[in-house]
Amino acid sequence: MSETVLLVGGGGREHAIARALAPDCDLYACASNRNPGIAALAEGFETISETAAEDIVAYAESVDATLAIVGPESGLAAGVADALDEAGIYTFGPQAAEARIETDKAFQRQFMRDEEIPGNPDFATFDDMEAACDYIDDYDGDLAVKPAGLTGGKGVKVIGDQVTPEEAKAYLRDSDYERVVLEERLVGEEFTIQAFVADGEFRVSPAVQDHKRAYEGDEGPNTGGMGSYTDVTPSLPFMADGDYEAAVEVIEAVVEALPEYKGILYGQFMLTTEGPKVIEFNARFGDPEAMNTLPVLETPFIDVLTAAREGESLPDLDFAEAATVCKYAVPEGYPTDPEAGAEITVEVDEDADALLFYASVDDREDGLYTTTSRSFAVVGVADSIAEAEELAEDALADAGEGFHIRHDIGTAALVQRRIDHMAELRGE
């Protein structure tokens, strides 16, 4: 019997999910924006807010959905998985209580402390901003300032990197945050590992390195992610033997401590001289990381979902031995002052052997329009990072007007900088 799957979300991450699922099921989708890439793969597409749980359940029931998957964190925080599960539609995504590992950073850190999860940095939480400012004054070292709630990857300020202590205190005093977490600044190289989790089991995917800064050379404000890359092995070029496995052990400890968790558990790590430390956990696929890992997943994704629903052992995941490079095209001015509502024509060379993923665009009757977030991404898949980067760059050569792209992602020079940075930190 063919499965009918409802996909919630309309970004690049969800386009990658749709592409992985569509060949093996009847796919339906809903989101607040009409993503043309998802709409082309789906049997039906409804414009529904990702947080409108009742409306999503009604649509799922109208198409006789047998499975669902929630892409964005906003839907998980709003209890969409809870509502779908309660309606008898198994949802591959954590319920709101388990999703707190992403949606509440204060809970996340205290959970790690209570459960003795390895890789937890020194931290303190505050609901009094003046007390937080005093902590900054008294702390011996640099700190990362994090709002406890969701900020789309753009709310963190790092003392000693992005801001001075005085600027950090001004940021806190000018904010309307109810709670903040102050953490020791972790120094090293970031990477992420995404795990498929159900019934106390998990399967991991290759490590990915995202690039948060808006401009080339890792300059500018933080974004939701300007692009990312993977290597032909599960590890990355700047990682030493055992680093990937050490991060997987952290994920294993979280899964053991959260036996009801189901869906994707995304661990964002900082590789330090002491090994991997946890920057944060997310309760869903990363964006752009989903676009690196799902295109090289050779195991049918639908088999993961059905095994999870049936309480069966999750299938072993086979990934192609290929490197990937993802590069985002974003509206001019993103992320601080993006030009939204502009009609665009996405021009990507389809002969460049790169995959196109639509993200935060809106496909209206009279054309395709930008939103305030990232517009589309291309992913090169090849036998090396260098070849994958070339494919992505060739595909973007005629991207069109009005976009900003970080062309340095995946280049040999930037990858070598990561290797040299870790070698320097290790004293090699």
Side-chain angles (χ1 to χ4, degrees), residues 56-123:
I56 292 170
V57 169
Y59 182 54
E61 291 176 336
S62 74
V63 300
D64 296 323
T66 57
L67 288 163
I69 181 166
V70 179
E73 61 273 28
S74 60
L76 297 170
V80 171
D82 307 55
L84 287 164
D85 284 337
E86 188 175 339
I89 302 164
Y90 182 89
T91 302
F92 193 68
Q95 295 194 353
E98 284 75 36
R100 286 183 70 198
I101 197 165
E102 171 174 8
T103 61
D104 185 342
K105 291 181 176 61
F107 166 82
Q108 177 190 112
R109 288 307 188 198
Q110 193 60 49
F111 160 79
M112 291 187 68
R113 176 180 287 171
D114 293 345
E115 298 295 335
E116 299 181 348
I117 306 295
N120 199 19
D122 185 28
F123 74 96

Side-chain angles (χ1 to χ4, degrees), residues 180-254:
V180 295
V181 183
L182 302 185
E183 304 175 357
E184 66 171 302
R185 178 191 175 191
L186 300 174
V187 177
E189 286 293 332
E190 294 187 29
F191 68 97
T192 61
I193 296 176
Q194 299 164 106
F196 300 65
V197 184
D199 303 308
E201 282 194 324
F202 71 99
R203 303 286 185 265
V204 291
S205 55
V208 187
Q209 185 169 57
D210 185 18
H211 299 69
K212 290 290 188 186
R213 294 298 192 92
Y215 309 129
E216 295 188 10
D218 298 318
E219 299 292 336
N222 274 352
T223 71
M226 292 296 296
S228 45
Y229 68 92
T230 63
D231 207 346
V232 294
T233 67
S235 188
L236 289 167
F238 58 81
M239 298 169 71
D241 289 345
D243 288 339
Y244 178 86
E245 291 76 13
V248 171
E249 288 176 3
V250 175
I251 291 173
E252 181 176 20
V254 174

Side-chain angles (χ1 to χ4, degrees), residues 213-394:
R213 294 298 192 92
Y215 309 129
E216 295 188 10
D218 298 318
E219 299 292 336
N222 274 352
T223 71
M226 292 296 296
S228 45
Y229 68 92
T230 63
D231 207 346
V232 294
T233 67
S235 188
L236 289 167
F238 58 81
M239 298 169 71
D241 289 345
D243 288 339
Y244 178 86
E245 291 76 13
V248 171
E249 288 176 3
V250 175
I251 291 173
E252 181 176 20
V254 174
V255 174
E256 288 179 358
L258 288 176
E260 300 302 315
Y261 194 97
K262 58 185 172 66
I264 299 298
L265 178 65
Y266 162 120
Q268 183 179 7
F269 299 94
M270 182 72 80
L271 180 57
T272 73
T273 55
E274 299 175 347
K277 300 281 189 176
V278 175
I279 297 173
E280 66 178 4
F281 291 109
N282 290 335
R284 37 68 188 182
F285 278 115
D287 186 339
E289 292 92 339
M291 292 178 278
N292 295 96
T293 52
L294 285 173
V296 294
L297 175 63
E298 296 182 332
T299 305
F301 188 20
I302 192 68
D303 290 354
V304 177
L305 272 60
T306 55
R309 181 189 61 197
E310 301 303 324
E312 299 173 353
S313 183
L314 296 178
D316 292 333
L317 301 184
D318 293 323
F319 292 91
E321 292 184 3
T324 68
V325 172
C326 173
K327 299 191 183 194
Y328 249 118
V330 304
E332 290 288 357
Y334 174 83
T336 53
D337 188 25
E339 297 180 10
E343 185 174 5
I344 57 172
T345 301
V346 175
E347 298 177 5
V348 171
D349 184 358
E350 295 183 358
D351 294 326
D353 295 325
L355 304 172
L356 169 64
F357 293 96
Y358 287 96
S360 291
V361 292
D362 196 11
D363 191 11
R364 307 175 193 168
E365 289 185 2
D366 61 341
L368 192 64
Y369 291 83
T370 61
T371 71
T372 58
S373 193
R374 298 164 294 175
S375 300
F376 66 92
V378 298
V379 177
V381 182
D383 292 334
S384 68
I385 296 172
E387 293 173 87
E389 189 277 331
E390 185 176 348
L391 292 177
E393 196 64 22
D394 288 348

